[in-house]
Amino acid sequence: MATLQLGSNYLLSSSSFSNQRRICASLHVPSPLGAKTVSLPKLPALIKVEELGLKEHNNSDGSYTQPHQPMTADKDHDRLVAKLLAIAEAVADRAEMHAIIGDQRNNWNHLFLHSINSINLTASLMAGISAALTVGEAAPHLPAFKLSSVVLFTAAAGMMLIVNKIQPSQLAEEQRNATRLWKQLERSIHNTLAHREPAESDIEEALEKVLALEKAYPLPLLPEMLEKFPETVEPTRWWPKIQRRGQETKKACANGMASNGWSKELEEEMLGIHRVLKTKDEEQYVRLGKLVLDINKTLAISGPLFAGMAAIGAGLIGSPVDSPVPVLVGVVGGALAAVVNTVEHGGQVGMVFELFRNCGGFYRRLQEEIESNLRESEVEKREDGELFRMKMALQLGRSLSELKGFASYASSSLQDEDLKEFAGKLF
């Protein structure tokens, strides 16, 4: 018993000793040298459910459920984005279609050019051979060569009439410019989605631009093909009509600097640029377009006329036998028809005319952009003045310092005949 009691006392003392050591260890934790004491802020014991944006609903099992939050704003945003993406997809498809058709019509121009020239020259050669067969033992072969020459000249005249009507080089230029503008519209839509929240006005504006582009550069060849020989020459219009906010151009910045980057000096610059664009740049390209159109009309009439005269001359070879006039008309007429066809379609006169119309339209659009800003009497509703000035300089191919020189052209005392400088330097 003594031994058992001694053992139990020993175990009890050992247990208490070890408990004391554990308590000491938990109270005196050794810390590394140089450590600083960090005091933590007091956290609230309870977090209210309302602070989490939750509202408790009493269920049968005592749990709560989160109420449904309205998603109207997000749905409207997603709907607008989906609409703009659908328009952008359609615009990208149109750009691809115009690019393909542009290549096709450019191939038309080359194929018709070389084919018609080959036909005219071959027919001229046959007409010359027919003249050599009018006498001698080869006279029985005359009708075959003469008839072949007439058929070829007639075919060439008919083909030239069709090709001169549709002007393949001009068609190709229309599609090239349309492809560029469709791609530009696609980029503007993606920029809208990337940099700001879309609005309903963005949808309407994009649709208006799509319709304006379709009207300016139609895809079908017939019956919606643009008139290749219009009575009056007007700059091409591929943008929707800009809404006018006032009846006349106003100067909203009477004194000094106004808000939104506009100032009296900037308004004077824009008025001067507008006047020069209208009086010099646009007028120049309209005038050149009229000149090229007249040249193209002359060539379009002369080519089939020469080929038709050559067909008549080739048909009259050998009657009378000694007359050189039919041979002369047939051979020379065919050669002249080939020359005229080469000048008209090899020189792509129709493309040059379309290029001048597009250049005139480019400057007309800049004028309307200036007008739409200056006619807004509330400066805050205008486009940012400094940004607009920089965009205008880039589109005209000029530096910002060069634009300051146009302020003097805004003066009414300066006559239009005194304007010697053009606003645009790009073309």
Side-chain angles (χ1 to χ4, degrees):
M1 286 294 292
T3 306
L4 181 60
Q5 185 178 1
L6 181 60
S8 61
N9 292 336
Y10 175 76
L11 291 174
L12 187 60
S13 62
S14 300
S15 173
S16 62
F17 179 73
S18 61
N19 288 336
Q20 289 179 359
R21 289 191 61 183
R22 280 198 299 269
I23 292 173
C24 290
S26 62
L27 292 177
H28 302 282
V29 178
S31 60
L33 295 176
K36 296 181 179 180
T37 303
V38 179
S39 61
L40 297 176
K42 282 189 175 183
L43 296 177
L46 297 175
I47 299 178
K48 295 181 179 180
V49 176
E50 290 79 359
E51 294 179 0
L52 296 176
L54 304 174
K55 186 175 181 180
E56 185 175 355
H57 292 264
N58 296 326
N59 297 331
S60 59
D61 56 354
S63 62
Y64 67 90
T65 57
Q66 182 178 356
H68 176 70
Q69 298 293 333
M71 302 296 291
T72 306
D74 292 339
K75 288 183 178 179
D76 291 342
H77 175 269
D78 294 342
R79 178 174 52 83
L80 293 175
V81 171
K83 285 184 177 181
L84 278 179
L85 288 176
I87 296 175
E89 184 178 357
V91 167
D93 186 59
R94 301 287 175 83
E96 186 68 21
M97 294 168 65
H98 280 277
I100 294 172
I101 292 178
D103 292 338
Q104 177 202 44
R105 292 174 182 177
N106 190 45
N107 290 335
W108 281 4
N109 186 58
H110 293 291
L111 293 174
F112 279 126
L113 169 65
H114 298 302
S115 299
I116 292 173
N117 284 348
S118 300
I119 292 173
N120 280 321
L121 295 176
T122 303
S124 297
L125 179 61
M126 287 189 172
I129 295 174
S130 298
L133 297 177
T134 54
V135 294
E137 297 179 355
H141 302 290
L142 172 63
F145 282 92
K146 186 168 70 171
L147 182 60
S148 298
S149 179
V150 172
V151 170
L152 288 176
F153 275 134
T154 304
M159 292 175 65
M160 292 176 75
L161 284 174
I162 297 174
V163 173
N164 292 345
K165 176 66 177 178
I166 65 175
Q167 293 290 319
S169 65
Q170 187 172 345
L171 290 173
E173 177 62 22
E174 291 172 7
Q175 303 309 314
R176 281 192 291 265
N177 199 47
T179 301
R180 180 181 65 84
L181 293 172
W182 282 111
K183 290 181 178 180
Q184 186 180 84
L185 178 57
E186 182 190 6
R187 289 194 300 269
S188 68
I189 293 174
H190 285 298
N191 287 338
T192 300
L193 292 172
H195 294 96
R196 62 182 176 85
E197 291 291 327
E200 285 289 348
S201 59
D202 296 320
I203 308 293
E204 297 175 0
E205 182 181 357
L207 289 175
E208 288 178 357
K209 290 181 177 180
V210 168
L211 296 177
L213 271 175
E214 287 180 342
K215 183 179 179 181
Y217 302 104
L219 272 173
L221 185 62
L222 295 173
E224 299 181 5
M225 180 182 66
L226 297 178
E227 178 60 44
K228 298 301 180 286
F229 300 98
E231 294 295 330
T232 58
V233 178
E234 290 290 335
T236 306
R237 184 181 188 87
W238 62 82
W239 64 96
K241 190 173 183 61
I242 301 177
Q243 297 295 329
R244 304 302 184 201
R245 300 184 178 94
Q247 298 298 323
E248 58 182 5
T249 303
K250 302 177 181 179
K251 295 181 181 180
C253 306
N255 297 309
M257 175 67 70
S259 58
N260 202 23
W262 284 88
S263 65
K264 181 180 179 181
E265 291 76 14
L266 181 56
E267 287 188 346
E268 293 291 338
E269 288 180 22
M270 294 299 115
L271 286 173
I273 292 173
H274 178 274
R275 184 180 182 184
V276 175
L277 285 173
K278 184 176 182 180
T279 307
K280 300 290 292 183
D281 296 77
E282 181 185 337
E283 189 275 335
Q284 178 196 32
Y285 283 106
V286 171
R287 176 171 48 81
L288 290 175
K290 291 179 180 178
L291 176 62
V292 174
L293 180 62
D294 292 338
I295 295 173
N296 201 23
K297 284 181 179 179
T298 303
L299 294 173
I301 296 172
S302 301
L305 181 62
F306 285 139
M309 291 174 58
I312 296 173
L316 295 176
I317 293 176
S319 55
V321 179
D322 297 333
S323 177
V325 177
V327 181
L328 180 66
V329 173
V331 175
V332 176
L336 288 175
V339 170
V340 170
N341 186 65
T342 301
V343 172
E344 182 180 8
H345 299 291
Q348 301 189 11
V349 182
M351 181 273 293
V352 176
F353 170 66
E354 185 64 26
L355 183 64
F356 286 155
R357 284 206 304 183
N358 290 333
C359 292
F362 175 79
Y363 289 124
R364 174 73 63 85
R365 184 177 61 84
L366 294 184
Q367 294 175 49
E368 292 192 7
E369 287 182 359
I370 294 174
E371 290 173 3
S372 65
N373 278 278
L374 294 183
R375 288 187 176 184
E376 178 55 69
S377 57
E378 298 183 22
V379 183
E380 291 297 334
K381 294 183 179 180
R382 297 180 181 178
E383 186 176 354
D384 182 80
E386 293 300 322
L387 176 60
F388 183 73
R389 185 168 181 262
M390 185 186 70
K391 288 166 60 176
M392 192 62 59
L394 291 172
Q395 293 181 94
L396 294 175
R398 290 182 174 273
S399 64
L400 293 175
S401 59
E402 288 178 318
L403 295 186
K404 296 180 179 179
F406 288 95
S408 59
Y409 297 140
S411 175
S412 58
S413 61
L414 189 65
Q415 301 297 322
D416 292 342
E417 294 76 13
D418 298 332
L419 301 177
K420 304 299 180 182
E421 189 177 6
F422 291 91
K425 279 189 174 182
L426 289 180
F427 39 82

